[in-house]
Amino acid sequence: LEPQATPEEQINIQQEESIRPHRLADYIGQKDLKEVLDIAIKAAQSRSEALDHLLLYGPPGLGKTTMALILSSEMKVGCKITSAPALERPRDIVGLLVNLQPGDVLFIDEIHRLSRMSEEILYPALEDFRVDITIGKGQSARTRSIPLQRFTLVGATTRIGNLSSPLRDRFGLIQRLRFYEVDELTAIVQRTAELLQTPITPDGCEEIARRSRGTPRIANRLLKRVRDYAQVKECGDINAYVANQALELFNVDPIGLDWTDQRLLKMLIENFNGGPVGLETLAAAAGEDSQTIEEVYEPYLLQIGYLNRTHRGRTATPAAWRHFGYNPPPEQLS
Ligand code: ADP
């Protein structure tokens, strides 16, 4: 998946692969998305066609890659996984396209980062299943069309607003992934614990779920941290108390805010009196990259109503003030 990954990252990737669901029925939550795709799969199968191109958008870790893999196994076709930064040169994307087998799923992560040239190669591939390449230079240059197998592009992005509209228009299905509810995450923790053969009580699952920022990837990661803790401290089965102790140690607060979430909100409250403050100013003050704040941290803080985006900048809501033990100033309450 990631050729430059360090040995530790490789192990993480392998572990993530081992707990990924492979069937639509095992994919927990995202009811609307599953319904839409279930219909699309059945319709395509009954016509013996490839699935329509699909764009999935939403914050990282919500199950976009997993869904692409599930689609390919439900359709009984292959799946090629790549991401836009790996397709910098036109020949990278051409090479990938001409090697696709009939019906294959091509998954391109971070598709909003495709280069202009690669994007232009993709248009006729998506629409007419062909690539146009130019051979030779100057006066003797000719364009040749190479036919492709019919395939399904699954694009994933955390920033739908950054996609060019010609690219967006070429997807037959555009679906948003939502943050998960606590009961859905509880089921995910339960399932992963079974796969990892980790004894855990239902309230232990729920405690981890509540602190997972609505995100399956985080739920699975926290479960592994709690499992390590329980093993070293010889706590036996993981229950809510053990999960609580472990997650406190790892700086995950009771509603799942991690160190950076807490830092951003505290900064906003303590240094900027709750805002409004511009994203770049906040990023500089917190020593974080503004794009990471926007794509990774803000969506959840907006979702739980701790942060607002106004035209004058970011503000902390009264709920955020109270969470950190402060009384919100009167002007924030109006
Ligand atoms: P994304 O591509 O959106 O960043 P992934 O598809 O890589 O997210 O999902 C991250 C991890 O979370 C995967 O390893 C998978 O095991 C788990 N996961 C995601 N969605 C679900 C789901 N709906 N049910 C069960 N596990 C899930």
Side-chain angles (χ1 to χ4, degrees):
L1 272 179
E2 288 173 37
Q4 287 108 10
T6 64
E8 195 188 339
E9 281 166 349
Q10 295 276 13
I11 291 171
N12 283 339
I13 292 168
Q14 279 166 16
Q15 282 191 346
E16 194 158 90
E17 291 316 309
S18 68
I19 53 177
R20 246 188 236 289
H22 296 289
R23 304 308 305 253
L24 201 55
D26 297 330
Y27 190 92
I28 294 159
Q30 307 291 351
K31 193 168 154 283
D32 298 345
L33 171 71
K34 277 200 302 195
E35 229 170 275
V36 167
L37 294 182
D38 190 39
I39 292 171
I41 291 170
K42 286 180 179 145
Q45 278 173 337
S46 72
R47 293 192 302 258
S48 304
E49 277 179 4
L51 273 179
D52 238 346
H53 304 305
L54 164 70
L55 180 65
L56 297 173
Y57 69 99
L62 295 192
K64 298 183 288 297
T65 314
T66 306
M67 187 48 94
L69 287 161
I70 287 178
L71 288 179
S72 73
S73 60
E74 294 283 346
M75 295 292 291
K76 302 189 177 58
V77 294
C79 185
K80 292 253 160 38
I81 296 187
T82 186
S83 80
L87 303 174
E88 194 63 43
R89 298 167 308 176
R91 76 169 123 126
D92 299 324
I93 193 158
V94 171
L96 200 61
L97 290 168
V98 298
N99 282 311
L100 291 172
Q101 302 300 308
D104 270 0
V105 169
L106 171 62
F107 178 76
I108 304 183
D109 204 2
E110 298 187 74
I111 197 158
H112 62 275
R113 291 175 64 186
L114 269 188
S115 66
R116 260 267 312 277
M117 285 222 288
S118 296
E119 204 174 303
E120 271 163 21
I121 291 169
L122 207 50
Y123 296 155
L126 294 175
E127 226 151 65
D128 306 321
F129 301 100
R130 64 175 166 82
V131 281
D132 300 325
I133 55 168
T134 312
I135 305 162
K137 283 204 174 95
Q139 290 228 311
S140 62
R142 286 169 295 127
T143 308
R144 237 186 80 199
S145 249
I146 306 175
L148 301 173
Q149 302 290 351
R150 296 188 83 86
F151 69 98
T152 301
L153 175 69
V154 179
T157 181
T158 48
R159 300 174 75 96
I160 185 139
N162 283 29
L163 228 66
S164 75
S165 54
L167 182 56
R168 207 173 44 221
D169 292 346
R170 282 170 172 84
F171 288 96
L173 292 163
I174 300 182
Q175 293 287 315
R176 180 169 79 110
L177 278 87
R178 297 182 301 105
F179 282 111
Y180 290 69
E181 303 293 339
V182 171
D183 61 336
E184 296 166 342
L185 290 165
T186 304
I188 291 174
V189 173
Q190 177 90 52
R191 178 181 172 276
T192 306
E194 270 165 35
L195 291 173
L196 298 176
Q197 299 180 324
T198 300
I200 184 166
T201 63
D203 69 344
C205 292
E206 194 184 317
E207 185 65 25
I208 295 174
R210 263 196 285 119
R211 298 187 186 221
S212 300
R213 294 182 101 252
T215 308
R217 179 179 290 137
I218 297 180
N220 287 338
R221 194 164 69 209
L222 295 184
L223 171 63
K224 286 180 194 153
R225 295 289 73 78
V226 174
R227 179 180 67 153
D228 290 350
Y229 178 91
Q231 206 163 3
V232 171
K233 300 262 178 187
E234 296 178 39
C235 302
D237 289 9
I238 296 169
N239 56 28
Y241 176 76
V242 172
N244 205 344
Q245 294 285 307
L247 294 175
E248 221 150 79
L249 186 68
F250 292 111
N251 251 321
V252 178
D253 89 352
I255 59 157
L257 302 184
D258 69 14
W259 190 83
T260 308
D261 294 314
Q262 296 174 39
R263 186 170 156 75
L264 284 173
L265 289 174
K266 277 193 192 160
M267 184 74 69
L268 198 50
I269 291 168
E270 292 167 3
N271 296 25
F272 299 99
N273 196 33
V277 57
L279 174 64
E280 294 300 333
T281 310
L282 184 63
E288 265 292 342
D289 168 52
S290 61
Q291 198 166 323
T292 309
I293 294 181
E294 228 182 349
E295 286 172 40
V296 180
Y297 294 99
E298 283 189 348
Y300 187 67
L301 298 176
L302 288 165
Q303 156 95 11
I304 60 169
Y306 275 28
L307 186 85
N308 272 333
R309 274 184 194 159
T310 70
H311 61 281
R312 285 162 52 224
R314 274 58 176 172
T315 60
T317 64
W321 283 81
R322 291 194 193 98
H323 182 71
F324 293 104
Y326 295 111
N327 281 326
E331 68 268 21
Q332 297 276 352
L333 292 171
S334 59

